[in-house]
Protein backbone atom coordinates (compact mmCIF):
# COMPACT_ATOMS: atom_id res chain seq x y z
CA UNK A 1 0.00 0.00 0.00
CA UNK A 2 1.22 3.49 -0.86
CA UNK A 3 1.33 6.39 1.57
CA UNK A 4 -0.80 8.88 -0.39
CA UNK A 5 -3.07 9.22 -3.39
CA UNK A 6 -5.11 12.17 -4.63
CA UNK A 7 -8.64 11.58 -5.89
CA UNK A 8 -10.16 13.91 -8.48
CA UNK A 9 -13.83 13.10 -9.04
CA UNK A 10 -16.83 14.47 -10.88
CA UNK A 11 -19.71 13.02 -8.90
CA UNK A 12 -23.06 14.87 -9.11
CA UNK A 13 -25.09 12.30 -7.14
CA UNK A 14 -22.29 10.74 -5.08
CA UNK A 15 -21.99 7.29 -6.63
CA UNK A 16 -18.77 8.04 -8.49
CA UNK A 17 -17.18 9.47 -5.35
CA UNK A 18 -18.14 6.41 -3.29
CA UNK A 19 -16.67 3.96 -5.79
CA UNK A 20 -13.52 6.06 -6.24
CA UNK A 21 -12.95 6.37 -2.50
CA UNK A 22 -13.29 2.61 -2.05
CA UNK A 23 -10.68 1.99 -4.72
CA UNK A 24 -8.36 4.73 -3.48
CA UNK A 25 -8.56 3.44 0.09
CA UNK A 26 -7.15 0.11 -1.05
CA UNK A 27 -4.30 1.75 -2.99
CA UNK A 28 -2.98 4.14 -0.35
CA UNK A 29 -3.14 4.73 3.39
CA UNK A 30 -4.28 8.33 2.92
CA UNK A 31 -6.39 9.84 0.15
CA UNK A 32 -6.95 13.52 -0.46
CA UNK A 33 -9.69 14.59 -2.81
CA UNK A 34 -10.90 17.38 -5.03
CA UNK A 35 -14.50 17.58 -6.20
CA UNK A 36 -14.62 18.70 -9.83
CA UNK A 37 -18.41 18.79 -9.78
CA UNK A 38 -18.86 22.46 -8.91
CA UNK A 39 -17.41 25.45 -10.79
CA UNK A 40 -15.25 26.60 -7.85
CA UNK A 41 -13.12 23.43 -7.98
CA UNK A 42 -9.46 24.35 -7.88
CA UNK A 43 -7.05 23.31 -10.61
CA UNK A 44 -4.07 21.19 -9.60
CA UNK A 45 -0.47 20.90 -10.72
CA UNK A 46 1.10 17.53 -10.08
CA UNK A 47 4.60 16.15 -10.45
CA UNK A 48 6.18 12.79 -11.27
CA UNK A 49 6.18 11.76 -7.61
CA UNK A 50 2.38 12.05 -7.36
CA UNK A 51 -0.25 9.33 -7.77
CA UNK A 52 -3.74 10.46 -8.80
CA UNK A 53 -7.04 8.60 -9.21
CA UNK A 54 -9.39 10.41 -11.58
CA UNK A 55 -13.01 9.23 -11.60
CA UNK A 56 -16.04 10.31 -13.57
CA UNK A 57 -19.53 9.06 -14.42
CA UNK A 58 -20.58 7.63 -17.76
CA UNK A 59 -23.34 9.46 -19.64
CA UNK A 60 -24.41 7.75 -22.85
CA UNK A 61 -21.09 5.91 -23.13
CA UNK A 62 -19.06 9.12 -22.78
CA UNK A 63 -17.61 11.34 -20.10
CA UNK A 64 -19.60 14.48 -19.22
CA UNK A 65 -18.19 17.29 -21.39
CA UNK A 66 -18.21 19.51 -18.31
CA UNK A 67 -15.85 17.13 -16.51
CA UNK A 68 -13.50 17.09 -19.49
CA UNK A 69 -13.50 20.89 -19.51
CA UNK A 70 -12.55 21.05 -15.83
CA UNK A 71 -9.89 18.36 -16.13
CA UNK A 72 -8.16 20.53 -18.72
CA UNK A 73 -7.40 23.03 -15.95
CA UNK A 74 -5.19 20.45 -14.19
CA UNK A 75 -1.62 19.63 -15.18
CA UNK A 76 -0.26 16.12 -14.73
CA UNK A 77 3.44 16.93 -14.79
CA UNK A 78 4.27 13.25 -15.24
CA UNK A 79 2.13 12.03 -12.31
CA UNK A 80 1.01 8.42 -12.49
CA UNK A 81 -2.76 8.17 -12.83
CA UNK A 82 -5.53 5.62 -12.42
CA UNK A 83 -8.43 6.37 -14.79
CA UNK A 84 -11.79 5.20 -13.43
CA UNK A 85 -15.24 5.51 -14.94
CA UNK A 86 -18.38 4.70 -13.00
CA UNK A 87 -21.52 3.54 -14.75
CA UNK A 88 -25.00 2.43 -13.83
CA UNK A 89 -24.99 -1.11 -15.17
CA UNK A 90 -25.77 -0.57 -18.86
CA UNK A 91 -22.36 0.00 -20.53
CA UNK A 92 -19.39 2.34 -20.39
CA UNK A 93 -18.51 2.11 -24.10
CA UNK A 94 -15.87 4.77 -24.95
CA UNK A 95 -15.78 6.63 -21.64
CA UNK A 96 -12.74 4.90 -20.14
CA UNK A 97 -10.64 5.33 -23.25
CA UNK A 98 -11.76 8.95 -23.47
CA UNK A 99 -10.73 9.61 -19.87
CA UNK A 100 -7.30 8.06 -20.42
CA UNK A 101 -6.82 10.16 -23.55
CA UNK A 102 -7.73 13.36 -21.70
CA UNK A 103 -5.35 12.54 -18.86
CA UNK A 104 -2.48 11.72 -21.20
CA UNK A 105 -3.08 15.01 -23.03
CA UNK A 106 -2.79 16.83 -19.68
CA UNK A 107 0.56 15.24 -18.89
CA UNK A 108 -0.50 12.30 -16.71
CA UNK A 109 0.92 8.78 -17.17
CA UNK A 110 -2.07 6.41 -17.06
CA UNK A 111 -0.89 3.18 -15.43
CA UNK A 112 -4.29 1.58 -14.71
CA UNK A 113 -7.90 1.80 -15.72
CA UNK A 114 -11.10 0.70 -14.02
CA UNK A 115 -14.79 0.50 -14.87
CA UNK A 116 -16.83 0.55 -11.67
CA UNK A 117 -20.50 0.17 -10.80
CA UNK A 118 -22.81 2.57 -8.97
CA UNK A 119 -26.59 2.84 -8.78
CA UNK A 120 -28.05 4.39 -11.92
CA UNK A 121 -28.89 8.04 -11.25
CA UNK A 122 -32.17 7.93 -13.20
CA UNK A 123 -33.32 4.28 -13.26
CA UNK A 124 -32.56 3.46 -9.63
CA UNK A 125 -33.49 -0.21 -10.00
CA UNK A 126 -30.41 -0.67 -12.21
CA UNK A 127 -27.30 -1.45 -10.14
CA UNK A 128 -29.42 -0.69 -7.08
CA UNK A 129 -27.39 -0.20 -3.91
CA UNK A 130 -24.05 -0.36 -5.70
CA UNK A 131 -21.29 -0.17 -4.74
CA UNK A 132 -22.22 -2.83 -2.16
CA UNK A 133 -20.24 -5.16 0.09
CA UNK A 134 -19.31 -7.45 -2.77
CA UNK A 135 -18.00 -4.46 -4.71
CA UNK A 136 -16.05 -3.26 -1.70
CA UNK A 137 -14.24 -6.60 -1.45
CA UNK A 138 -13.53 -6.65 -5.17
CA UNK A 139 -12.21 -3.07 -5.19
CA UNK A 140 -9.94 -3.90 -2.27
CA UNK A 141 -8.35 -6.55 -4.49
CA UNK A 142 -8.13 -4.10 -7.40
CA UNK A 143 -6.45 -1.54 -5.16
CA UNK A 144 -3.87 -4.03 -3.93
CA UNK A 145 -2.94 -4.92 -7.50
CA UNK A 146 -2.65 -1.26 -8.50
CA UNK A 147 -0.50 -0.53 -5.44
CA UNK A 148 1.75 -3.45 -6.32
CA UNK A 149 2.26 -2.13 -9.85
CA UNK A 150 3.04 1.33 -8.51
CA UNK A 151 5.45 -0.04 -5.91
CA UNK A 152 7.42 -1.76 -8.65
CA UNK A 153 7.72 1.50 -10.56
CA UNK A 154 5.81 0.31 -13.61
CA UNK A 155 4.38 3.10 -15.75
CA UNK A 156 3.13 1.30 -18.84
CA UNK A 157 -0.35 2.21 -20.07
CA UNK A 158 -2.73 -0.77 -20.25
CA UNK A 159 -4.92 -1.54 -23.23
CA UNK A 160 -8.37 -0.10 -22.51
CA UNK A 161 -11.74 -0.89 -24.04
CA UNK A 162 -13.28 1.74 -26.29
CA UNK A 163 -13.07 3.15 -29.80
CA UNK A 164 -11.86 6.30 -31.51
CA UNK A 165 -13.57 8.37 -32.70
CA UNK A 166 -15.75 8.22 -29.61
CA UNK A 167 -19.44 7.52 -29.96
CA UNK A 168 -21.76 10.51 -30.37
CA UNK A 169 -23.85 11.48 -27.37
CA UNK A 170 -26.48 14.14 -27.95
CA UNK A 171 -27.66 14.26 -24.35
CA UNK A 172 -31.00 13.49 -22.76
CA UNK A 173 -34.29 14.43 -24.46
CA UNK A 174 -35.54 16.34 -21.41
CA UNK A 175 -34.27 18.11 -18.30
CA UNK A 176 -35.49 18.20 -14.69
CA UNK A 177 -37.95 20.87 -13.67
CA UNK A 178 -39.81 21.77 -10.48
CA UNK A 179 -43.46 21.26 -9.66
CA UNK A 180 -45.77 23.14 -7.30
CA UNK A 181 -43.92 21.91 -4.21
CA UNK A 182 -40.96 24.16 -5.05
CA UNK A 183 -40.40 26.77 -2.33
CA UNK A 184 -37.80 28.74 -4.27
CA UNK A 185 -35.20 28.03 -1.58
CA UNK A 186 -32.33 28.02 -4.10
CA UNK A 187 -30.70 24.77 -2.91
CA UNK A 188 -30.75 23.44 -6.46
CA UNK A 189 -29.21 26.65 -7.79
CA UNK A 190 -26.16 26.21 -5.57
CA UNK A 191 -25.94 22.46 -6.24
CA UNK A 192 -26.09 22.57 -10.06
CA UNK A 193 -22.70 21.76 -11.63
CA UNK A 194 -23.64 23.44 -14.90
CA UNK A 195 -25.22 26.59 -13.43
CA UNK A 196 -28.34 25.69 -15.39
CA UNK A 197 -30.90 26.81 -12.80
CA UNK A 198 -31.61 30.56 -12.66
CA UNK A 199 -31.38 32.05 -9.17
CA UNK A 200 -34.32 34.36 -9.85
CA UNK A 201 -36.57 31.48 -10.94
CA UNK A 202 -35.35 28.11 -9.60
CA UNK A 203 -38.45 26.36 -10.90
CA UNK A 204 -36.91 26.50 -14.36
CA UNK A 205 -33.94 24.75 -15.99
CA UNK A 206 -31.81 26.07 -18.85
CA UNK A 207 -31.87 23.14 -21.27
CA UNK A 208 -28.87 24.49 -23.16
CA UNK A 209 -26.73 24.22 -20.03
CA UNK A 210 -28.23 21.22 -18.21
CA UNK A 211 -26.27 17.94 -18.37
CA UNK A 212 -29.10 15.91 -16.76
CA UNK A 213 -26.81 14.77 -13.96
CA UNK A 214 -29.79 14.59 -11.53
CA UNK A 215 -27.94 16.43 -8.77
CA UNK A 216 -30.76 18.98 -8.42
CA UNK A 217 -33.31 16.17 -8.07
CA UNK A 218 -31.29 14.59 -5.29
CA UNK A 219 -30.58 17.91 -3.57
CA UNK A 220 -34.11 19.37 -3.50
CA UNK A 221 -35.34 19.33 0.13
CA UNK A 222 -38.97 19.45 -1.00
CA UNK A 223 -38.68 16.63 -3.54
CA UNK A 224 -40.01 19.07 -6.10
CA UNK A 225 -37.63 18.46 -9.01
CA UNK A 226 -37.87 15.56 -11.45
CA UNK A 227 -37.66 14.60 -15.08
CA UNK A 228 -41.01 14.73 -16.89
CA UNK A 229 -42.93 11.60 -15.86
CA UNK A 230 -43.22 10.14 -19.41
CA UNK A 231 -39.45 10.51 -19.92
CA UNK A 232 -38.65 8.96 -16.55
CA UNK A 233 -40.97 6.04 -17.30
CA UNK A 234 -39.50 5.50 -20.77
CA UNK A 235 -35.93 5.45 -19.46
CA UNK A 236 -36.82 3.08 -16.63
CA UNK A 237 -38.58 0.73 -19.06
CA UNK A 238 -35.68 0.80 -21.54
CA UNK A 239 -33.12 0.00 -18.85
CA UNK A 240 -35.25 -2.58 -17.01
CA UNK A 241 -33.43 -5.58 -18.58
CA UNK A 242 -30.16 -4.34 -17.04
CA UNK A 243 -31.72 -4.50 -13.59
CA UNK A 244 -32.04 -8.26 -13.95
CA UNK A 245 -28.32 -9.00 -14.21
CA UNK A 246 -25.32 -8.00 -12.17
CA UNK A 247 -22.60 -6.20 -14.11
CA UNK A 248 -19.11 -6.55 -12.67
CA UNK A 249 -16.30 -4.11 -12.01
CA UNK A 250 -13.32 -4.36 -14.35
CA UNK A 251 -9.63 -3.58 -13.87
CA UNK A 252 -7.05 -2.93 -16.58
CA UNK A 253 -3.36 -3.09 -15.67
Amino acid sequence: MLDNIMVLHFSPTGGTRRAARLLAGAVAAQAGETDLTLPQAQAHRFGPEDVVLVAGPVYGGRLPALMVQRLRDSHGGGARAVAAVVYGGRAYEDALLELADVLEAQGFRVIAGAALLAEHSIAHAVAAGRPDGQDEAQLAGFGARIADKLAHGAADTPALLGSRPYRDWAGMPAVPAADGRCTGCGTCVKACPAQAIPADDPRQTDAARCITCMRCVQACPAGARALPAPVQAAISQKLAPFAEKRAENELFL
Side-chain angles (χ1 to χ4, degrees):
M1 179 176 284
L2 303 182
D3 291 332
N4 294 282
I5 191 170
M6 172 61 75
V7 180
L8 305 183
H9 58 76
F10 186 91
S11 184
T13 57
T16 294
R17 179 181 182 271
R18 283 184 58 215
R21 294 289 304 189
L22 285 172
L23 182 58
V27 175
Q30 296 184 29
E33 69 177 278
T34 291
D35 187 354
L36 300 174
T37 312
L38 295 180
Q40 59 267 34
Q42 294 184 346
H44 284 275
R45 287 185 176 272
F46 298 99
E49 72 284 355
D50 294 315
V51 178
V52 186
L53 190 158
V54 184
V58 178
Y59 295 166
R62 296 285 304 277
L63 287 180
L66 193 57
M67 178 186 177
V68 173
Q69 176 185 324
R70 290 176 184 163
L71 274 177
R72 288 180 175 147
D73 290 331
S74 292
H75 301 275
R80 290 175 292 174
V82 178
V85 294
V86 182
Y87 71 109
R90 186 190 66 83
Y92 58 90
E93 287 150 321
D94 298 333
L96 183 57
L97 182 64
E98 181 183 13
L99 177 54
D101 286 347
V102 172
L103 293 176
E104 293 280 358
Q106 294 307 117
F108 293 89
R109 294 176 293 158
V110 176
I111 60 91
L116 311 178
L117 275 296
E119 184 173 305
H120 199 284
S121 60
I122 297 175
H124 297 289
V126 183
R130 312 272 305 263
D132 55 20
Q134 186 173 329
D135 294 315
E136 185 171 356
Q138 189 173 37
L139 297 191
F142 285 4
R145 292 172 63 190
I146 293 169
D148 184 65
K149 181 173 182 177
L150 289 164
H152 286 84
D156 56 303
T157 299
L160 303 173
L161 296 183
S163 300
R164 303 184 188 93
Y166 315 128
R167 75 190 309 270
D168 290 330
W169 168 239
M172 294 288 295
V175 300
D179 59 25
R181 292 172 292 177
C182 176
T183 64
C185 70
T187 298
C188 59
V189 176
K190 297 175 183 177
C192 179
Q195 298 178 300
I197 303 172
D200 59 351
D201 188 4
R203 292 169 177 80
Q204 303 302 316
T205 304
D206 183 345
R209 284 179 170 267
C210 179
I211 61 173
T212 325
C213 70
M214 307 304 284
R215 186 179 176 96
C216 64
V217 174
Q218 184 185 75
C220 179
R225 295 187 66 85
L227 287 173
V231 174
Q232 176 71 53
I235 293 171
S236 296
Q237 182 177 17
K238 181 179 180 180
L239 297 180
F242 296 98
E244 299 172 2
K245 59 182 181 179
R246 182 183 179 90
E248 294 299 334
N249 305 288
E250 297 178 60
L251 177 66
F252 302 86
L253 283 177

